[in-house]
Amino acid sequence: MNEIIAYVFIGTGLVFDFFGCLGLVRFPDIYNRLHSSIKCVTLGTSSILFGLFLYKGFSPAGVKALLCIVFLVLTAPVSAHVLARSAHKSGVKLWEKSVCDKYEEDERVHS
Amino acid sequence: MVKTRITLFVLAFLLWIFLHWSVDAGHLAGGVLVGIFVSFMTAGLFKKDAGISRKSPSAITSSDFRSSMADYFILSHTVKNMKRYMWFFFYIPVFIWECLKANLEGAWRVAHPSLPIRPGIVKVKTTLKSDTGLTFLANSLTLTPGTMTVDIDRERGFLYVHWVDVKSEDIDKATELLVRRFERILKRIFE
């Protein structure tokens, strides 16, 4: 029974990871690509790791998988934020059909 | 500083035990050594939370220090903060639910043939002040439906958020739509 649930989690994770990678190819600019890669990959990879935990139980591998989930959830958004911020600071433009850029307006006012 | 070192030591030691998942003399001794090393190397990075009280180092007297040490070991500290922990455990399922919605929405956007996106960077307000609170808010926004934090203006309390599907460019409306649901809970945990 545990194994079946584990396979379901791993399968779901693979689907989300696939969509994340697809988004990396399809989206037009760096900011949108970060969206798809961070979100889908965080949940996808977390659920693969959780599936591994269910499969292995409280063994060294299983507990390491749980710890990996915690670190992934804590660090992935920070890295996304840093990449987006540094891209914006070094002058990477938003997609030409973007609606608004309040950040750039404020930068111009303050500098 | 001592408090920080003890906390770090306990955390590093626990992490070591969890990573090895076996309790024998060799692993425990290794854990103690690694814990001491880590706590002495990294304690300087963790200053007291600057958002809540901005005391200069000289303003912290020895009695301050002693009372904070007592606080740390006595149960009253835990009881006083019990409500915060309860709210934190309430926050986790809320967060997972929002995260799941974000992922389904993201997957739908990616898979849709016409790529339905309307991206842009909007500005939202926040009333949170503490570092930890702001970090949690920014991280939660990044992991939830179609938003990603680009920058924080701490003095004025603004967050710059990249939104895949901009529903409103207005600052108040965007705040209402994006920040409110997390801020309500985070305020109870960290402020």
Side-chain angles (χ1 to χ4, degrees):
Chain A
M1 189 59 201
N2 243 6
E3 268 181 39
I4 298 170
I5 302 174
Y7 286 138
V8 169
F9 267 100
I10 292 174
T12 326
L14 285 173
V15 170
F16 275 123
D17 269 5
F18 171 74
F19 278 120
C21 297
L22 193 66
L24 208 58
V25 179
R26 286 198 71 196
F27 277 153
D29 67 350
I30 179 173
Y31 306 99
N32 288 304
R33 284 179 176 162
L34 274 174
H35 268 289
S36 110
S37 55
I38 291 303
K39 265 178 267 231
C40 293
V41 168
T42 307
L43 190 83
T45 311
S46 295
S47 93
I48 290 176
L49 287 169
F50 191 70
L52 177 70
F53 165 71
L54 288 179
Y55 189 78
K56 289 278 188 183
F58 281 97
S59 65
V63 176
K64 278 193 191 77
L66 278 188
L67 284 176
C68 282
I69 295 178
V70 174
F71 282 116
L72 195 68
V73 169
L74 285 179
T75 53
V78 180
S79 63
H81 150 71
V82 170
L83 282 171
R85 185 167 180 268
S86 52
H88 203 285
K89 292 253 177 211
S90 55
V92 177
K93 290 273 172 294
L94 269 74
W95 187 37
E96 65 265 26
K97 282 180 200 156
S98 294
V99 184
C100 59
D101 190 352
K102 293 278 164 63
Y103 189 41
E104 202 187 351
E105 287 166 24
D106 279 15
E107 288 273 273
R108 225 180 287 135
V109 170
H110 292 312
S111 60
Chain B
M1 203 61 176
V2 175
K3 192 172 153 181
T4 322
R5 286 222 169 102
I6 294 170
T7 318
L8 274 173
F9 173 75
V10 171
L11 279 178
F13 186 68
L14 279 179
L15 189 61
W16 178 270
I17 297 294
F18 276 121
L19 277 176
H20 284 279
W21 203 248
S22 65
V23 186
D24 56 34
H27 282 123
L28 288 181
V32 170
L33 285 179
V34 170
I36 291 173
F37 179 72
V38 168
S39 61
F40 269 86
M41 292 304 280
T42 58
L45 297 174
F46 298 90
K47 300 248 169 58
K48 232 176 168 354
D49 197 348
I52 293 170
S53 64
R54 278 176 202 279
K55 272 185 180 173
S56 64
S58 59
I60 299 169
T61 61
S62 62
S63 72
D64 255 9
F65 177 69
R66 228 174 288 127
S67 70
S68 78
M69 281 299 281
D71 244 20
Y72 187 60
F73 290 112
I74 293 172
L75 199 71
S76 74
H77 176 77
T78 322
V79 175
K80 203 171 68 193
N81 286 314
M82 209 56 194
K83 246 184 181 163
R84 288 165 187 258
Y85 293 118
M86 300 278 278
W87 275 106
F88 187 69
F89 283 113
F90 174 68
Y91 177 69
I92 291 172
V94 171
F95 174 71
I96 291 175
W97 172 241
E98 292 289 342
C99 194
L100 207 68
K101 273 202 315 207
N103 279 279
L104 289 173
E105 202 191 301
W108 175 76
R109 262 180 226 293
V110 170
H112 201 283
S114 66
L115 216 60
I117 55 174
R118 241 178 124 240
I121 296 181
V122 296
K123 194 159 99 170
V124 295
K125 274 186 295 200
T126 175
T127 50
L128 293 172
K129 286 281 182 297
S130 70
D131 276 351
T132 330
L134 280 171
T135 311
F136 262 79
L137 180 65
N139 280 3
S140 308
L141 277 178
T142 301
L143 287 175
T144 50
T147 51
M148 179 173 70
T149 317
V150 177
D151 204 355
I152 291 183
D153 189 335
R154 265 187 64 186
E155 276 80 44
R156 297 184 199 82
F158 289 136
L159 287 161
Y160 297 94
V161 174
H162 185 266
W163 202 352
V164 165
D165 182 35
V166 176
K167 294 204 179 68
S168 164
E169 294 177 36
D170 181 50
I171 178 164
D172 291 312
K173 194 84 189 303
T175 308
E176 195 63 41
L177 284 170
L178 296 178
V179 181
R180 280 285 164 265
R181 59 187 167 203
F182 295 122
E183 207 181 54
R184 243 187 16 234
I185 306 171
L186 286 172
K187 220 178 171 73
R188 292 202 168 91
I189 303 174
F190 294 111
E191 304 277 293

